[in-house]
Amino acid sequence: MKHLFNLILLISFSLLTHAQVANNKVVTTAVIETHTPDLDQSMGIVTKFIKEHNVVLISQESSRAKFKADFYVAKADYTEFLTLIPSLGYLDNKKISTSSSNREEKSYELEIAYYKQQKEAYEKELKNSEPGTERYDSLWDKVRYYEKQVYNTERIVLRNQKITSYRIKITIIDETVDLNSRQVTWVNMPGAEYVFFMPEMPQDNISAKYYSGYSLKYLFTRGKSFAQLTTLKEFSDELADEDRYSELFILDFGQDFYSKYFGRGQNKFLNLYTGYTLGVIFATGIVSKQFNFFLSPAIGLELFKNKYFLFDIKTEYFVPIKENKNLRGIMLRGSFNFVF
């Protein structure tokens, strides 16, 4: 009799464990973010896929600058959607993860219990408040809020009971709007730079053939925006001239912009970019001095970068306002910045 009881207990435990394993479904989630020059076209591809396939849509929203969709699909449809990603624009981020459905259900259960507890607490306070007062209206809003949260979370739980094991969360960003709407990412990256300047048409009493020197470069956005303080001295072999500007002091501000066709600055190596700097220059000689403004268009290449370091080379065409003919020319820069 004892053996029979143990056998029944073992069978019951096995059935219970099997049921728990069967219910504990593993959900594979693909989180995808792309940038596109044609948001309407990319959005149309996703909405057409949603209409033509048997998906369980959780949410979908769109604006002038962004489209987002969150839905469950069958395995075959999941694989098919991943093949559509290149047609949605430039892939900025793709993350695939797995999670236990039981874990999600327990999380939702805890949320529902919390929302109900808060709702009941505010309902008790509401009964002791006088209708028509500001406090009564505030408590009423709180009750409605938590009531809505309970409803929405319970609806998600019911919907999840019908879902398959594959989930897609897609975000498509309009790159033509993104430059203006993207949140600025501030960084603190000081650094140093070697600078070589070669005026295009040097004149003995104005400019030397070559200048070289160093710069302090401070990078303050990951975008990237920066400020520089540069000092240059002539080092060519011309005859001495008291009127010639032998030293150049430069203070400027600049910005660099990555190409959407060459990785958007996301690569560790060889990120191509264009940019500009503008600022002031104070040129001095033995008996001469001049205060001037300038603008420099630039093209550069990030040789290597990660979260902590940046090695960069750049070519600028230096264009001053005064003495434009004899001071404009090619400026070469090589810099190193680090997170501080």
Side-chain angles (χ1 to χ4, degrees):
M1 189 70 179
K2 181 178 180 181
H3 292 294
L4 179 61
F5 176 77
N6 290 335
L7 179 62
I8 293 173
L9 185 63
L10 178 62
I11 293 173
S12 300
F13 178 77
S14 299
L15 291 173
L16 179 61
T17 303
H18 176 75
Q20 288 178 341
V21 171
N23 290 331
N24 187 19
K25 182 166 51 182
V26 175
V27 179
T28 300
T29 303
V31 180
I32 302 160
E33 182 177 304
T34 67
H35 287 74
T36 176
D38 191 339
L39 181 61
D40 291 337
Q41 178 181 338
S42 301
M43 185 169 60
I45 293 173
V46 178
T47 54
K48 181 181 178 183
F49 179 89
I50 292 174
K51 289 178 181 178
E52 294 180 352
H53 294 75
N54 184 27
V55 308
V56 178
L57 184 63
I58 297 177
S59 65
Q60 179 178 314
E61 58 181 282
S62 61
S63 65
R64 186 174 65 92
K66 186 182 295 185
F67 171 79
K68 298 177 70 174
D70 186 357
F71 53 91
Y72 287 93
V73 293
K75 182 177 181 179
D77 296 331
Y78 172 84
T79 304
E80 181 182 343
F81 187 85
L82 293 185
T83 65
L84 295 176
I85 293 176
S87 64
L88 300 178
Y90 173 81
L91 179 62
D92 190 51
N93 183 44
K94 178 183 175 183
K95 180 180 178 182
I96 297 177
S97 60
T98 58
S99 62
S100 167
S101 60
N102 274 1
R103 188 182 303 171
E104 289 187 359
E105 289 175 8
K106 289 179 181 179
S107 176
Y108 285 131
E109 288 175 3
L110 291 174
E111 285 186 30
I112 292 172
Y114 171 76
Y115 294 145
K116 286 183 176 180
Q117 183 182 17
Q118 294 298 310
K119 177 175 172 288
E120 291 173 0
Y122 283 113
E123 282 177 338
K124 289 181 181 179
E125 291 188 45
L126 189 65
K127 291 179 181 178
N128 299 324
S129 301
E130 185 178 346
T133 62
E134 184 176 342
R135 174 174 173 75
Y136 184 91
D137 294 339
S138 176
L139 292 171
W140 175 268
D141 290 339
K142 291 286 187 180
V143 171
R144 298 287 78 80
Y145 169 77
Y146 285 109
E147 193 174 71
K148 185 178 180 180
Q149 293 297 103
V150 170
Y151 171 76
N152 288 337
T153 309
E154 287 180 341
R155 188 174 63 172
I156 292 174
V157 172
L158 290 174
R159 186 161 43 195
N160 286 355
Q161 292 174 355
K162 303 176 183 179
I163 66 172
T164 61
S165 301
Y166 294 88
R167 182 178 184 178
I168 294 172
K169 301 172 75 173
I170 177 76
T171 301
I172 305 174
I173 299 172
D174 187 345
E175 65 185 6
T176 63
V177 179
D178 190 43
L179 287 176
N180 296 323
S181 62
R182 181 181 294 177
Q183 187 176 3
V184 175
T185 302
W186 299 98
V187 295
N188 181 22
M189 295 186 70
E193 191 171 43
Y194 173 76
V195 185
F196 175 81
F197 176 44
M198 181 173 58
E200 188 176 295
M201 299 177 66
Q203 185 171 322
D204 287 345
N205 64 338
I206 296 177
S207 57
K209 291 182 181 179
Y210 307 112
Y211 293 87
S212 71
Y214 298 94
S215 172
L216 295 176
K217 182 176 181 181
Y218 181 72
L219 211 65
F220 54 88
T221 73
R222 198 169 290 280
K224 52 191 180 178
S225 300
F226 56 87
Q228 297 175 136
L229 177 62
T230 306
T231 176
L232 302 177
K233 294 185 178 182
E234 65 174 352
F235 74 101
S236 44
D237 56 359
E238 303 104 315
L239 295 175
D241 192 315
E242 292 184 346
D243 293 324
R244 187 167 60 236
Y245 300 128
S246 58
E247 293 185 322
L248 307 177
F249 299 95
I250 303 171
L251 176 63
D252 61 49
F253 165 84
Q255 288 183 302
D256 296 330
F257 305 98
Y258 299 107
S259 169
K260 64 182 179 182
Y261 301 109
F262 296 98
R264 299 175 184 271
Q266 301 299 315
N267 302 323
K268 277 192 173 183
F269 300 95
L270 305 181
N271 287 302
L272 185 68
Y273 64 87
T274 59
Y276 72 90
T277 58
L278 55 87
V280 295
I281 174 174
F282 184 61
T284 63
I286 297 177
V287 297
S288 60
K289 61 181 178 180
Q290 183 189 91
F291 186 80
N292 204 346
F293 295 92
F294 73 92
L295 171 66
S296 297
I299 183 169
L301 188 67
E302 292 177 345
L303 300 177
F304 170 79
K305 78 171 180 180
N306 58 21
K307 293 181 179 179
Y308 310 103
F309 302 102
L310 171 62
F311 294 91
D312 188 8
I313 58 174
K314 179 192 297 188
T315 300
E316 297 181 355
Y317 190 66
F318 183 79
V319 184
I321 302 300
K322 301 175 184 178
E323 300 292 355
N324 179 276
K325 181 179 178 180
N326 303 116
L327 273 178
R328 71 172 183 257
I330 301 298
M331 188 173 289
L332 305 176
R333 293 177 178 268
S335 65
F336 166 70
N337 288 82
F338 59 95
V339 173
F340 184 76

